[in-house]
Amino acid sequence: MCGIIGYVGENGGDTAVVDVLMDGLSGLEYRGYDSAGIAVAEPSIAVRKREGDISALEEALHGGKLDGTAGIGHTRWSTHGPPSDVNAHPHTDDETRVAVVHNGIIENYRALRDELEAVGYRFESETDTEVVPHLIAAGLEDGLGCEAAFRQAVARLEGSYAIAAVFAGSETVYAARHESPLVLGIGEDGHYLASDVPAFIQYTDRVIYLDDGEFARITPETVTVTDDAGTVVETSVETIEWDADDAGKSGYDHYMLKEIHEQPTAVRQCLRERVEELERSIAVDSLASLSTPERVQFVACGTSYHAALYGARLLRERGVAATAFLASEYDTDVVPVDSETLVIGVTQSGETADTMGALRGANTVGARTVAVTNVVGSSAARECDHVMYVRAGPEIGVAATKTFVSQQIALVLVASALTGEYDSQLVSALRDFSGQLQTVLDESAAQEVATAYRDAGAYFFIGRGHNAPVALEGALKMKEITYKHAEGFAAGELKHGPLALVTDETPVFALVTAGSKPTKTLGNVKEVQTRGAPVVAVTDGCSDVEQYADHVLEIPETHPTLAPILANVQLQLVSYWVAHELGRSIDKPRNLAKSVTVE
Ligand code: F6R
């Protein structure tokens, strides 16, 4: 979804603002976008914006230097109006006194636009955002100063937004946040604001997270945060634990492949100080005050929902009534939820609008909430009663990989910590798990499988028990980065309909691991094999599925609870290599965004 960058300062030369803004846009590319633009203020506002990727904007900059000490930039993921130069941000008022970038959706923009057009303001774009500079201009015309005009305009908006604005002749960037992320960066030579830290991590690792309803004013020397009444808010400066190298590709062709290979490290980080092998204990400090809940409801989307399905099953195994809901379908009017219910939001970004909506709904009816998230200081982390960080490190590839594995491991810990139920074999298996992930990565035959089936008509994934969510995830990964038809099923469901789709052109990936009813899944393998489908077995050797499979992707033996997590890595690699062979845009698949901040 859209990304915002803002900068004020002297970062080493008179074109520095533009450089910082362009670096910032590159750091936000992972969020997904279809156009990009920047505005630099002082003495007058200069705007450059282009449909397409950042290289198109770079070309547009060749025409002339943009001077100034303050600027804003934006990557746009279209909602109102198609991708085009005109609809790209920043947007300005008629007289280019102010330039604005926005992430989110202004729900009352139609009424505001009608009102503004009726008194003579002219709109150029189809965006909801363009009402903001005109509203600000109206304030300026009424005699307000820049900040007052900005605040007055923001007060008129309904919906979700992170907004940044610069004014002609000013060294200040103004910003406001409501249900869309904004973080401030405190640098040596200036100050930054952005939708996410990768936008400025190469310049500073010191950050302040804005809360909903807060405003920020940054100048080269000062950073001021105020509430909606204008009262100065005390903020704390946090230090980011990763650096620009962590957010780079480290020699891999794609972020996705790098992130798949970072999984052993991600898991070690997730387990750190939470699993004590000597004492054979599992504890999560941030959840220590929680007793075993009567009822647990997970809310999540996409890949995180698949992790939530896995987590719910883990809790059910331990005797807790746990259900996973698609966050967009979670409705406290129809779901029994009360103060005895623990609602766990699983969200990599901590900003997904559907998940945040579900968590806020749960909060309103008095449930206790937990965020299982990767992003420190994210909305989910700040708004939930408890937070458990999965500590996967920055994930830039749009397709979630290392964060899924970290979420699954985190949920093993959550289920164990909430119920006090785990066996010593699980503790030992967790100790060995990172090494086993490395073995899968080192020895995987996924690339050969991908070459064999790159032209298949469709791909099916089946598994039972803990493998069922991994089958769904295998299919999701395949479709999002290869653009090919893929479906995942609980293996038992195959014969209730999907089997009609199975032919000799549809490879079936069967997850057959100890503890997840391997014999029954083997029965399903025979069903598809009889219909001529090629079979790829992902297995720990717990059955004789090898005899019925055309290809085998092996995983080491581990605790039955953890085997699906290893199996998933094989599926990630197959999808990656199919997409690679098909020449797809692996890190930025078409139409998708990393952080989905609209409902
Ligand atoms: C798929 C993917 C998405 C996200 C979903 C939720 O690879 O990444 O399906 O899992 O958009 O995002 P988060 O976890 O940030 O809430």
Side-chain angles (χ1 to χ4, degrees), residues 14-19 21 38-42 45-48 60-61 64-69:
D14 57 2
T15 57
V17 173
V18 174
D19 296 342
L21 296 178
I38 60 169
V40 174
E42 212 208 12
I45 290 176
V47 176
R48 301 284 186 276
L61 287 170
K65 200 171 76 170
L66 302 186
D67 284 335
T69 49

Side-chain angles (χ1 to χ4, degrees), residues 519-593:
T519 317
K520 283 185 188 284
T521 309
L522 187 56
N524 303 122
V525 164
K526 290 176 189 166
E527 283 161 12
V528 300
Q529 202 207 23
T530 311
R531 272 97 189 155
V535 173
V536 181
V538 187
T539 185
D540 52 8
C542 65
S543 70
D544 59 355
V545 68
E546 290 87 347
Q547 288 179 26
Y548 304 92
D550 298 272
H551 293 268
V552 175
L553 294 171
E554 289 173 13
I555 59 167
E557 264 181 70
T558 178
H559 192 283
T561 300
L562 305 180
I565 309 181
L566 292 177
N568 174 62
V569 175
Q570 293 283 22
L571 300 186
Q572 292 172 341
L573 287 167
V574 174
S575 292
Y576 173 82
W577 287 113
V578 171
H580 193 273
E581 295 219 0
L582 296 174
R584 302 296 192 231
S585 167
I586 293 179
D587 285 332
K588 286 178 271 163
R590 69 182 178 205
N591 304 337
L592 299 181

Side-chain angles (χ1 to χ4, degrees), residues 301-304 347-349 352 398-400 476-477 480 596:
C301 306
T303 293
S304 297
T347 165
Q348 187 285 126
S349 61
T352 301
V398 164
L476 177 62
K477 218 82 309 175
E480 74 182 312
V596 184

Side-chain angles (χ1 to χ4, degrees), residues 256 299-306 345-356 372-375 395 397-401 403-404 407 473 476-477 480-481 589 592-596:
M256 181 178 176
V299 291
C301 306
T303 293
S304 297
Y305 172 67
H306 300 151
V346 184
T347 165
Q348 187 285 126
S349 61
E351 302 293 348
T352 301
D354 289 324
T355 307
M356 288 313 301
V372 175
T373 184
N374 191 36
V375 178
E395 185 174 72
V398 164
T401 52
T403 54
F404 179 59
Q407 286 170 340
E473 174 60 10
L476 177 62
K477 218 82 309 175
E480 74 182 312
I481 62 166
L592 299 181
K594 181 74 182 160
S595 179
V596 184

Side-chain angles (χ1 to χ4, degrees), residues 35-59:
S35 47
I38 60 169
V40 174
E42 212 208 12
S44 56
I45 290 176
V47 176
R48 301 284 186 276
K49 50 187 191 171
R50 284 292 180 273
E51 180 190 344
D53 64 21
I54 288 173
S55 59
L57 178 60
E58 261 157 12
E59 269 175 40

Side-chain angles (χ1 to χ4, degrees), residues 346-412:
V346 184
T347 165
Q348 187 285 126
S349 61
E351 302 293 348
T352 301
D354 289 324
T355 307
M356 288 313 301
L359 286 168
R360 287 175 185 138
N363 243 326
T364 310
V365 295
R368 291 165 301 157
T369 52
V370 174
V372 175
T373 184
N374 191 36
V375 178
V376 176
S378 57
S379 298
R382 279 169 311 118
E383 291 185 32
C384 287
D385 302 320
H386 304 265
V387 58
M388 178 186 187
Y389 288 114
V390 302
R391 305 177 182 156
E395 185 174 72
I396 307 296
V398 164
T401 52
K402 65 173 176 172
T403 54
F404 179 59
V405 165
S406 299
Q407 286 170 340
Q408 288 174 300
I409 291 292
L411 292 176
V412 171

Side-chain angles (χ1 to χ4, degrees), residues 81-103:
S84 69
D85 290 355
V86 172
N87 286 335
H89 300 207
H91 292 284
T92 60
D93 65 305
D94 293 347
E95 293 176 27
T96 323
R97 287 163 288 191
V98 60
V100 170
V101 291
H102 161 230
N103 175 15

